[in-house]
Every structure is written in C-alpha cells, then in structure tokens.
Amino acid sequence: MYSTKSPSLRINSGDLKCRNGCGFYGNTQFDGFCSKCFRERQQGLERQRKQRVVASSSTKIDPHFPRQKTSSHHSARAATQQHTFPPSPSRHKPHSPQRGDQQERGTLKKNAILSVFQKTSTQKNVGKPERPYVPDRTEMEFITGLKKLLISDDAKKKLKSDIQRLDATIRDYLANHRSIDDLSECVQNAYTRLSEVLGRDPRFQTASPEAREECMNFFEKVVMTRNHSYLFSPCFTNDEEQDSKIQKRIRQLGWITVKHLSCGIDEVHSASRELVYTAITELVAMDSFYSPQEKLECIVRCCRHIFTLLKHAVGGPASADEFLPALIFVVLKANPIRLHSNINFVTRFSNASRLMSGEGGYCFTNLCCAITFIENLTAVSLSMPADEFEALMKGEKVYTSAWESALLACEGLHLISENMKKMDALKRKNENVLKGIECFKEDLKQLQAEITQKIDETLIRAPLTILPIKTPEFLRTRAQSLILSDAAVAEQRRNSGHFQSNIVTSLSIDRSDEGKALAKDSTLPIPIIPAVVGTTKPTDRDKPLVDTKPEPVKEALSTPTQSPAGRMSASSSADLLYSSPIFNYSPFDTNSLGDAATPEDFLSGQMPDFTGGITNINYDFDLSDHSGDNSVAEDTNITTGFNLEEFDPLIQKPSSSYLSSTESGPDDPDRIGAVECEKPKSLIESDSPSEILLPSPIKPTSATNYKGFSNFEIPSISCNTGDFSSLNSCEMATECLEGSEGVADKK
Amino acid sequence: MKAIEAKVVILGSEGVGKTSIVTRYLKNVTSSDQGPTISASFFSCKLYLDGVKVKLQVWDTAGQERFRAVAPMYYRNANAAILVFDLSQHKTYRDLKMWAQELQRNVQDPMILTVVGNKLDLHATRTVSREEAFLFASSIGANYMETSALNEQGLNQVFLRIAEGLVRLANENKSQTLRRYDSSNSISAYSNVFADDDQAFHLPSVHLGIPVEEGDVHSSDVGRLETPSWSIDHIAHGSVETTGWCCY
C-alpha cells in the first residue's frame, strides 16, 4: 500500500501528466489519465466487457488478475459512483458504511449490483494490491504460514491450489447466486473434500495427523480471511438487521444485574470485576478477527475467563447451571457489535465438526443459547413481575446497579465507589465496636449494681456497727511515753492494749457504756500477745461508743463499689485480726490475716481507733484490696474535712491542732498524738481485712448513739498530714489555694 | 483400531446432581495426570471397549426452568443423553419425562438414552421407586441406572453403558452424527482436552451401581430425513428454537 502511495509524496510534474504520455495533465479521478485518454480507454474497456460473458465480473474480482481488476474497478467507479468513496479505502472501516450503501443500492438496477461487487473487490485489492509484486501483510502471513506447514512441497502446492479454487468458487458463487445457505453448503463441502484429500491423497501420506489438522485449519483460515468481506454479513442476508435488533435489545436490558440472573458473579469485588472485563474484552474482540476459528477462539477464551471467575465464586469447577447465567450476563454487559453477523459467519463458514464437538463447540453453543435467551427474555425468565419488567424495558423505571455506575463513571468515580464501600465496611465495623462498648458499659453497670446489691445485702445482714475501742487513759499515756522513749516497748504495750480493746468491744456490743467499761477493766489483764503487731488501741473510756456505722451504710449505698470498701478497710484495723484468736471468730481471722492491708487503710483506720467493733464488720467486703489502693481518696470522701486537710499544707497544722484539741476534750492530747504516730507502723505491718461471709456479731442498735462523734474522729487522722506538711512545705505557695478551698469545703 | 467420537449431553432439572456426576466421574477417571479440565460443564474422555476407542464429549447443560427453551441447542447432534433425576424428589422425575419427550421429538438421529436416578445415598427419603423409573426408562428405550454421586457409586457404569451403546450404534451405522474413524489417530482431531495421548482409560471392572436391563436402543428413525453430516441444521446457532417444549 505504501509502496504505491509513496511516490505521490514526491510529486514531479511528470507524475501529474497523463499516463498515456499525451502531454496533458492527468487526474487521479481518471485513473491518472487525462480526460480524453480516459474516455477513450473507457470505451475500449466497455467494448471488452461486452465481448465477455456476464461472468467476467467474477474474474475481475478474482485476485489472481489484479491488474485487470484495478483497471476495471477504477473504470467502474468512475462510471457509476465517482464521488461516493474516497480512493483509499482501508480494509477495516468500510464495512459498515459500505454495507449500508450496498443495501440501498441492492434495490437499484442490476447494473448497480454488479458495481457493488466490483467495488468490494476493489477494496480488497487496494488493501493488497498487485499480489505478485507487493504482497500485502496478510498475504505475507499466508505465505509464511504455508511455508511453515510440515508437509511436502507437493502437498503445499495442492493446498494452495485448493485454496485458490475455493476462493474462486466463492467469488463465482457470490456473483451469480444470492443464497448464503447454499454458499455455506458449498464451503462446507469444500472442507469435507479437503479433509478427504488430506486423509487419502498420497501427497499428504507422509504428514502427521497434527500436520493434517494444521493444513485443514490453514485452509479454512486463509480462505475465510481472504473472503471475509464478502462472506461476513452479506448484503443479501438480514444479518445486519438482526445485529441492530439484538444491540437495541441488549441496550434495553442494560438494567439487568447478576441478581436477576441469579448467577454467582460478584459485581463489586474488584478481582471478579477484572475477570468480567477480560471476558467482555474477548467477546468484543471477536468482531475484529476474520477467520471463524479465530472468532471461535475468542469465544473460548471468554468462556474460560468466566469459568475461572466462577471457580473463584463457587469454590469448585463451575457447572452449566452457573455458567450459562454468567455468560448471559457477560453478553449483556459486553453488547458486542455485529453479534449476529459474527455468530452466523462462524456458523456458516466454520468447519462444521469444529462446532459440533470440542470446547469451541461447547462455548459456541452456550453463546448461542445466551443470545437466544436474551432475545426471548421475559419477565418470567427473570422471575420478576411483568409490570416491573415492562417499566424497566421502557426506561420508565431506572434501575441503577453497581455495575452500571462503574461503567458510566470514570476511573476516579469507580475508585470513589470502591472507597465508599470500604468506608461503609469500616462504618459497620465501627458500629460494632461502639455496640460492644455499650455492652461493656452495660456489663459494668450491671456488675456495679450487683456488687452494690451484694454489699447492701451484706450490710443488711451484718449491719455496720462501730463500737468504740476504749483505751484506758493510763494505757494511753503509758503508750505515748513508751513510743517516745522506745518504739519496741510501746508496741508491746499497744498489742496488749489492742487485745484488751477487742475483748472489750466484743463483750460490750450490747452493753451500755458503763458495762463496756467494766468489761474493759476485767479484760485488761489478759496476757495473750499476738504474733503480729497490731495497732495499739488501748480501749478508751472517753470515746467508747463512737459509732460510724450509719455513715458507712449511707455511703455504701451512694458509692457502692469503693466507698464502703474503703470505709471498711479504713475501719479495719489490725485490732480485729488479733482480736479474733481471742474470741474465736475463726472466719474473720483467717480472712483478715490473708489479705494484706495497705498503709492507707491503716491510716484511715487509725482515726476510728476507738471503733474496734467496726473492724469486724469490715471483713465482710471483698473490695478491701481496691479500697486499700484508693483508700486515701475514699477515706477523704468518708470524712471530707479530714481528707482535704491531708493535702493542704496550710490546713494541716490547724487541723492537727484542731484534732488534738477535739480529741483532747475527751482524752489527753498527748495520748492521742502518741496513738496517731504509732498507728502507721502497725498498719504497715498488719494485713488488710478481707471479706467475711459470716454475719458480724455486732448489732446495729447501738449505732445511732455515736453519730455525733464521727466528726471528732476525722481530725484524728491528721497526724498523717505531718508527712504531707513536710512534703508540701516546698510547694506551699502553689497549694495555698487548694488549702483554702479545702478549708472552705470542710466548713 | 476403530474409534468413535460421540457427544453426550447431560440433561435434568436443576439440583439433581448433573454436575456432581460429571465431577465425580472425572475425579475417578482423571486421577491420573490427564490434565485439569477447565470446568465441569464440558469435558471429554476416552474409553476402550472391545478394541474400540470411544471418545465421549460430555456436555453439561443448564437445568433451570428458564433455560428450558434453549436446551435444544445443547442436545442437537448429541449421540447420547444422560437424563438425571433426583431419587428423593419426585418433581425432578416428572420433569425428566418432559425432557425425554422433548428429546424424542427434536432429535431425529438415534440416541443412546440413559436414565439415571441420582442421590441413591438419600435412600431414606426416596420418592421414586425403582420399578417406576425402570418402566419409564424402558418405555423410552433407555437404560436405567441408579447412582450416588456422593459415594461415587455407579458412575463408571453409566459411562460404560453409554460407550457400549455407542459402539453398537456405530456398528449399526445408523447415526449420521456419530463420527467413526478407522484409525484411532484421527480421533484427536478436535479434542482440546485429551489431545496428546494414546493412553486412554482402560475401564476398571465396575460392580457398583444398579444396572437395569436395557431396552432396545431408541431407533425409530425410519423415514428420517437424510441430511449431510455438516448440514447447517446440525449446528447450533442463534436462531430461536420454535419447536419448543411448549407445544405438545
């Protein structure tokens, strides 16, 4: 093609002259002649043509006479349709427009029909002009293909001659007859003949079965490629109408999704989408191949993609039950051009045995089934209501699917939709997490409620009765003096005192103050000394019945989890632990001993030193450990004024003084101070109280009396604040504010 | 060696186990290195039978009701048909009768029919009696077999029987579409799956399955229109099948 054209790029004046050499300028429209020479030549040709038979047109078409063809073609064109076509038709594009023209012209006079064939042949010739000299690329392919065949040269010659004969037959036939079915039969006969020749002809005896197979394919391919333009969707068939019909139909059915077909393709998943795209590409590519077997290969490849796709979706080899719907879906989404023409072309001119057997045949049959199904599609076959189907078909109802949106949208939108999907997934996940959190919260609440309830029950069962531990004055003073002088001695004293106090409390539960006092006196002499050092709590006569019971109960209710525990831990002093052996409260003792008491507990517990009875109650609660950890804070809650003071350097001193003063009221200030100082030690050493299942022996009746004294107890803790003050001294300025606030709160 | 190449279609309602019959049989047969088939819906296998090489091209079909109209495309040119129904579902058996009628109406060439009652393993819920099915099979000139694809029971026998029938059919020379080759070489002509072999499967002796006495091969092709083997009528194409099942 280029070789013929290239000279036109370097035009000499000579090139523009008439080819006849008459000196006038020529015209491409007149085939390079000047108008006069062209007319003369034309007339000569006309004469020639008249001399020939009608069949001469077919010989003109025959590619074996290219030179004649060229001239005849040009003349014909010049005569009939000079302006219709540009002089450089390409092989691919002209099909559709030309066919349209052909059909129009087909209704014209006979003469025009002749020209049609001439014209089509010219395209072919322009595509591969003057074969002997400049073989076209396709032609070259065939030549090399022929060379490659593993058969003898004689066989090749025979094959070549057969090809040429069939070529001629086809063109001959097309010129004279107009029945595509007969032509198809003719071609099929040729195939059968060739296969017989391949089987029997001595020239092919040496060839292997594969080579013969190859020959057969080659034959088919060459003939069909060369005659594709005549045989593909010929004007005298209604292929084209069918094409446009199915195209329109498929377009109408664009709303169909995988759900309608109930096939296992995941429209959204990117991997399966890719496979669907590939399958569609293969199916669409079918049109661009010339020979039936290549078209068939496209179909097979398309089907294979679908099978792999379904293999992923189904998890095993796909069956026809799944395959056919998937193929229908692919056809619907691909909407291949000239579908019917292609199918008919393959059906008519492919080697029949190829279509009747093998994978190609199976895939082709399935494709035909799919097309038939699409053509006859009704609401029933999609199992949807008829009116909805109608509405969708008429476009009254819009059905958007993920597939459609992805097709319509550009890549970015596609990405967005994918991301949206991802976001949705994330959102769902997040919701799940939130739900889980809610559940967890609920659980927590429930747990809290349970614990509260338990505690309440326990409290009701074993109400918190705080009985003061009465420390005899003389013991106190003695202890104080001992502490000051010798810690060890003091401890001993304390221990003894502690036991005494316990005894007193236990005995005096139901008694009046005086009774208790008497009991104390009597118990004092008891010589038993516990191995573990307990807080020294000499029973104090002055504060005998300080009872904090009502407070803890209230607080337990209000802040169930921690406050009661803290309270209890606070109240639980080592005294109880030691008291148990004496009084044979075995459960209390074991529990109490088992758990370690935090120092804070003791600190807090120190305040109610006097309330030896409380300690017993404290054992009932499981939360002693927690309370121990948080005890400082909790303790502060219990006795607000006191807690604030702890942290306030400023307030400490006044508070301590206040405490001492308050306590000194009933007791000796010295003693109190001593007790306070000593308590930390004992606390550290002692174990924290643990839960007690048994009801405490203490009874609630006595509790009311001692409410008033709780205030007094609070300040007693302030002895600890001494440490704070030392710490805080550095940061006095910063904490001043807090201190003031604490004071305010307290008041 | 003589060789036969035949097309076998598997028909039956959805869910009767057409595909599992194929896959199970394939699994048995191709346990050797015969290469994977691309799908269960199309495969070819070879059987040696009395010195005849029988190549079966088995086509699975879509059994859904809505694809009933396109079924003729599948069984056109078929030389044998396996009609599968579910022993535990009577409806599939009734459908099968329809399939058989349709086949008889639309296929002129003699065909080897085999009625297969699948899911023998669901013996407890069986709804179709052996006698009933056997009578029906005889009435259409078919073999009757009961199989269990799950237990791989009777599968080999099904295909063996089909191969036997095809050999007989070839000897009687009645079928136009059945391709016979005098040499086994040419059998590889259009096979994609097992193209490269001379080693085909030698049938193991099969004792499973319930072989039912076979009736006469359906050969009521007297006065049949003789058409050339490549006739366009024999090729499935996209035309609407008007002689559908709906008009009887």
Side-chain angles (χ1 to χ4, degrees):
Chain A
M1 192 180 249
Y2 282 105
S3 59
T4 53
K5 266 189 172 176
S6 52
S8 66
L9 297 176
R10 312 184 291 269
I11 301 175
N12 303 322
S13 61
D15 291 331
L16 299 174
K17 294 275 168 69
C18 172
R19 277 168 58 187
N20 244 4
C22 64
F24 288 99
Y25 281 103
N27 192 328
T28 45
Q29 269 192 349
F30 298 144
D31 208 11
F33 295 99
C34 68
S35 57
K36 188 167 177 261
C37 294
F38 180 75
R39 218 178 299 129
E40 283 169 4
R41 189 184 145 84
Q42 195 73 4
Q43 285 164 356
L45 284 173
E46 281 297 319
R47 245 176 281 126
Q48 269 187 349
R49 197 184 293 169
K50 276 172 192 169
Q51 283 164 7
R52 286 189 199 167
V53 275
V54 181
S56 68
S57 62
S58 70
T59 44
K60 277 179 212 156
I61 298 167
D62 195 309
H64 305 296
F65 306 96
R67 290 207 157 268
Q68 276 188 359
K69 239 185 301 167
T70 325
S71 57
S72 70
H73 138 61
H74 280 288
S75 63
R77 198 209 292 169
T80 56
Q81 11 144 346
Q82 284 185 0
H83 311 288
T84 318
F85 298 109
S88 62
S90 75
R91 292 195 56 200
H92 293 252
K93 286 169 188 171
H95 288 303
S96 37
Q98 271 173 13
R99 258 184 293 119
D101 291 342
Q102 283 170 9
Q103 279 195 336
E104 286 169 23
R105 261 175 275 122
T107 59
L108 296 177
K109 35 186 178 169
K110 188 172 150 197
N111 195 7
I113 295 167
L114 198 67
S115 75
V116 168
F117 290 118
Q118 286 171 341
K119 180 191 59 61
T120 30
S121 74
T122 64
Q123 276 148 24
K124 188 98 182 174
N125 291 327
V126 173
K128 32 177 181 171
E130 286 134 20
R131 192 171 56 105
Y133 305 105
V134 192
D136 170 282
R137 200 166 56 88
T138 352
E139 203 64 40
M140 284 299 288
E141 231 172 71
F142 295 153
I143 290 166
T144 50
L146 188 65
K147 277 180 192 159
K148 271 186 204 160
L149 287 179
L150 298 169
I151 51 175
S152 63
D153 286 349
D154 281 347
K156 279 179 190 170
K157 267 181 201 159
K158 165 77 178 153
L159 194 63
K160 195 177 172 187
S161 72
D162 273 348
I163 290 171
Q164 286 173 349
R165 203 171 62 209
L166 182 59
D167 248 8
T169 318
I170 289 171
R171 284 156 208 215
D172 212 22
Y173 197 90
L174 276 174
N176 297 313
H177 305 279
R178 307 199 64 209
S179 163
I180 193 75
D181 287 341
D182 290 348
L183 184 57
S184 158
E185 192 178 326
C186 173
V187 173
Q188 295 291 349
N189 274 330
Y191 289 150
T192 321
R193 260 203 317 278
L194 181 67
S195 69
E196 279 167 13
V197 166
L198 286 176
R200 295 195 194 125
D201 196 290
R203 280 170 284 188
F204 290 95
Q205 283 307 312
T206 54
S208 64
E210 288 78 23
R212 283 179 219 178
E213 179 70 12
E214 197 65 26
C215 285
M216 194 70 216
N217 286 337
F218 179 76
F219 178 76
E220 187 183 340
K221 189 174 176 183
V222 170
V223 174
M224 282 307 132
T225 309
R226 288 165 79 151
N227 295 291
H228 176 267
S229 46
Y230 318 126
L231 300 179
F232 185 86
S233 184
C235 58
F236 46 82
T237 61
N238 64 344
D239 289 357
E240 211 172 344
E241 290 168 35
Q242 283 182 307
D243 286 343
S244 58
K245 224 165 83 182
I246 185 116
Q247 190 121 30
K248 203 176 148 208
R249 172 88 176 165
I250 290 175
R251 231 177 273 144
Q252 274 183 321
L253 292 169
W255 46 269
I256 287 186
T257 64
V258 283
K259 283 185 206 78
H260 294 114
L261 297 166
S262 59
C263 71
I265 296 178
D266 184 2
E267 280 182 299
V268 180
H269 194 259
S270 58
S272 64
R273 197 179 260 274
E274 274 311 306
L275 275 171
V276 174
Y277 282 142
T278 336
I280 287 175
T281 311
E282 293 291 354
L283 199 59
V284 171
M286 177 176 70
D287 185 63
S288 63
F289 287 97
Y290 288 139
S291 66
Q293 62 253 60
E294 281 170 316
K295 288 180 192 290
L296 215 51
E297 276 163 21
C298 282
I299 297 172
V300 170
R301 279 199 297 272
C302 167
C303 290
R304 281 190 174 154
H305 287 307
I306 296 172
F307 275 123
T308 35
L309 171 67
L310 288 174
K311 204 178 254 177
H312 289 308
V314 179
S319 69
D321 286 348
E322 293 134 12
F323 171 69
L324 188 54
L327 182 63
I328 290 168
F329 177 75
V330 167
V331 172
L332 277 176
K333 293 311 166 196
N335 198 1
I337 53 166
R338 301 198 286 178
L339 186 56
H340 259 295
S341 296
N342 278 299
I343 294 291
N344 285 338
F345 180 65
V346 174
T347 309
R348 286 168 189 149
F349 300 112
S350 171
N351 198 334
S353 60
R354 201 192 301 279
L355 292 186
M356 289 199 291
S357 62
E359 194 185 349
Y362 184 72
C363 294
F364 186 71
T365 306
N366 268 302
L367 181 60
C368 291
C369 287
I371 293 167
T372 312
F373 180 81
I374 289 168
E375 282 173 341
N376 301 331
L377 194 68
T378 59
V380 181
S381 41
L382 293 179
S383 56
M384 65 192 298
D387 49 344
E388 192 187 346
F389 179 81
E390 282 301 314
L392 283 168
M393 285 297 281
K394 286 176 188 160
E396 289 165 2
K397 194 176 161 189
V398 181
Y399 198 103
T400 50
S401 65
W403 180 266
E404 284 305 309
S405 61
L407 275 185
L408 293 173
C410 63
E411 195 64 25
L413 288 180
H414 186 179
L415 202 66
I416 288 173
S417 75
E418 297 250 317
N419 286 341
M420 295 275 275
K421 291 237 157 55
K422 267 182 204 161
M423 295 284 273
D424 277 349
L426 284 178
K427 198 180 164 192
R428 272 197 298 278
K429 262 188 201 167
N430 190 31
E431 277 168 4
N432 279 342
V433 169
L434 286 178
K435 227 180 266 174
I437 289 172
E438 281 302 310
C439 283
F440 185 62
K441 274 182 184 168
E442 281 297 309
D443 283 352
L444 273 183
K445 269 183 193 166
Q446 216 176 335
L447 183 70
Q448 206 174 3
E450 263 175 34
I451 290 167
T452 314
Q453 199 189 347
K454 250 188 202 172
I455 290 165
D456 288 349
E457 279 172 9
T458 318
L459 281 176
I460 291 163
R461 212 165 4 120
L464 195 59
T465 311
I466 300 172
L467 296 177
I469 297 171
K470 290 168 186 170
T471 314
E473 276 187 36
F474 71 93
L475 280 175
R476 277 202 181 187
T477 49
R478 220 192 286 164
Q480 198 174 356
S481 61
L482 282 170
I483 289 158
L484 291 173
S485 59
D486 185 0
V489 177
E491 263 189 28
Q492 259 193 346
R493 295 289 166 123
R494 263 176 276 148
N495 294 339
S496 64
H498 157 248
F499 290 110
Q500 290 167 4
S501 68
N502 285 335
I503 295 159
V504 169
T505 53
S506 64
L507 291 174
S508 63
I509 287 167
D510 288 338
R511 291 179 191 173
S512 64
D513 298 350
E514 290 94 345
K516 285 177 188 173
L518 290 173
K520 283 180 276 172
D521 294 337
S522 62
T523 52
L524 284 174
I526 290 171
I528 299 167
I529 295 171
V532 183
V533 179
T535 55
T536 59
K537 296 281 172 147
T539 55
D540 193 352
R541 238 179 289 130
D542 299 340
K543 305 185 145 198
L545 299 177
V546 173
D547 192 355
T548 56
K549 181 193 80 181
E551 283 179 8
V553 173
K554 284 178 197 166
E555 289 174 3
L557 292 170
S558 62
T559 55
T561 51
Q562 295 177 344
S563 67
R567 174 74 60 72
M568 303 171 55
S569 63
S571 62
S572 69
S573 62
D575 300 1
L576 300 175
L577 306 180
Y578 305 107
S579 68
S580 61
I582 299 169
F583 298 97
N584 295 330
Y585 300 132
S586 58
F588 296 93
D589 298 342
T590 53
N591 291 329
S592 64
L593 288 170
D595 295 341
T598 56
E600 287 88 351
D601 292 347
F602 290 99
L603 291 176
S604 58
Q606 288 161 5
M607 314 157 33
D609 294 344
F610 326 96
T611 64
I614 297 168
T615 56
N616 292 331
I617 296 165
N618 296 337
Y619 292 112
D620 294 348
F621 302 91
D622 298 343
L623 304 171
S624 57
D625 290 343
H626 292 293
S627 67
D629 297 338
N630 303 330
S631 61
V632 174
E634 289 151 9
D635 294 345
T636 60
N637 290 337
I638 298 162
T639 57
T640 53
F642 161 73
N643 293 331
L644 292 170
E645 288 173 7
E646 265 194 350
F647 298 95
D648 274 355
L650 292 176
I651 295 174
Q652 280 172 354
K653 282 162 187 175
S655 71
S656 65
S657 65
Y658 166 75
L659 291 173
S660 63
S661 66
T662 51
E663 289 195 349
S664 67
D667 300 336
D668 281 349
D670 297 344
R671 284 179 200 162
I672 295 166
V675 170
E676 288 165 355
C677 294
E678 289 164 7
K679 281 167 190 173
K681 275 186 187 174
S682 62
L683 291 169
I684 291 161
E685 292 168 0
S686 64
D687 295 335
S688 73
S690 68
E691 63 177 358
I692 286 175
L693 300 175
L694 295 176
S696 72
I698 301 164
K699 293 178 182 177
T701 51
S702 61
T704 52
N705 301 332
Y706 306 99
K707 280 183 183 176
F709 294 92
S710 60
N711 291 333
F712 292 101
E713 295 175 52
I714 297 161
S716 69
I717 297 170
S718 65
C719 66
N720 300 327
T721 60
D723 300 334
F724 285 101
S725 66
S726 64
L727 292 169
N728 295 335
S729 59
C730 310
E731 305 172 357
M732 282 283 283
T734 56
E735 295 186 1
C736 276
L737 296 171
E738 293 177 6
S740 63
E741 286 173 9
V743 173
D745 290 345
K746 185 184 171 185
K747 287 171 182 176
Chain B
M1 179 192 270
K2 255 177 77 177
I4 299 174
E5 192 175 354
K7 174 177 157 184
V8 182
V9 290
I10 303 185
L11 303 172
S13 301
E14 190 182 8
V16 294
K18 297 187 294 292
T19 310
S20 38
I21 285 180
V22 171
T23 43
R24 290 294 176 148
Y25 177 68
L26 268 188
K27 206 182 100 195
N28 267 354
V29 160
T30 62
S31 54
S32 51
D33 51 349
Q34 286 298 331
T37 51
I38 55 152
S39 72
S41 51
F42 170 80
F43 77 97
S44 59
C45 64
K46 284 178 195 145
L47 303 171
Y48 279 115
L49 205 71
D50 299 333
V52 181
K53 191 163 157 187
V54 182
K55 183 179 177 188
L56 300 180
Q57 296 207 342
V58 184
W59 288 25
D60 191 11
T61 61
Q64 286 98 320
E65 185 64 37
R66 53 190 169 150
F67 297 131
R68 190 59 72 86
V70 297
M73 291 188 183
Y74 282 117
Y75 57 68
R76 206 175 309 186
N77 292 321
N79 307 109
I82 305 175
L83 300 160
V84 189
F85 70 94
D86 186 346
L87 281 171
S88 63
Q89 290 182 33
H90 202 271
K91 190 189 176 298
T92 63
Y93 175 67
R94 289 195 300 274
D95 287 346
L96 198 68
K97 290 184 173 176
M98 237 153 60
W99 281 110
Q101 285 170 345
E102 195 185 328
L103 262 184
Q104 286 185 322
R105 200 175 36 253
N106 292 333
V107 180
Q108 280 96 29
D109 257 13
M111 273 178 96
I112 305 297
L113 296 181
T114 309
V115 176
V116 172
N118 195 25
K119 305 196 184 175
L120 191 56
D121 44 292
L122 297 176
H123 201 76
T125 56
R126 179 179 181 133
T127 58
V128 183
S129 74
R130 186 170 298 171
E131 292 72 28
E132 188 186 0
F134 173 64
L135 280 177
F136 165 68
S138 319
S139 75
I140 61 167
N143 293 326
Y144 177 61
M145 306 263 195
E146 291 185 355
T147 63
S148 166
L150 186 69
N151 301 332
E152 295 171 15
Q153 193 181 357
L155 297 180
N156 282 331
Q157 203 145 30
V158 168
F159 289 91
L160 180 59
R161 279 307 177 102
I162 289 169
E164 281 174 0
L166 287 170
V167 169
R168 201 178 49 245
L169 205 64
N171 289 336
E172 290 168 3
N173 207 3
K174 276 179 180 168
S175 174
Q176 290 293 317
T177 51
L178 189 61
R179 267 162 292 160
R180 290 177 298 274
Y181 303 93
D182 290 332
S183 90
S184 63
N185 280 338
S186 48
I187 202 165
S188 65
Y190 296 105
S191 67
N192 295 328
V193 184
F194 300 113
D196 53 303
D197 59 305
D198 243 301
Q199 34 165 6
F201 321 110
H202 290 272
L203 273 178
S205 57
V206 188
H207 297 296
L208 291 174
I210 294 93
V212 183
E213 210 176 296
E214 52 186 290
D216 217 347
V217 177
H218 169 61
S219 56
S220 61
D221 54 335
V222 190
R224 172 171 48 85
L225 178 68
E226 289 287 338
T227 49
S229 61
W230 47 264
S231 161
I232 204 157
D233 291 336
H234 287 194
I235 304 163
H237 53 71
S239 66
V240 180
E241 194 64 28
T242 48
T243 59
W245 45 275
C246 49
C247 30
Y248 56 85

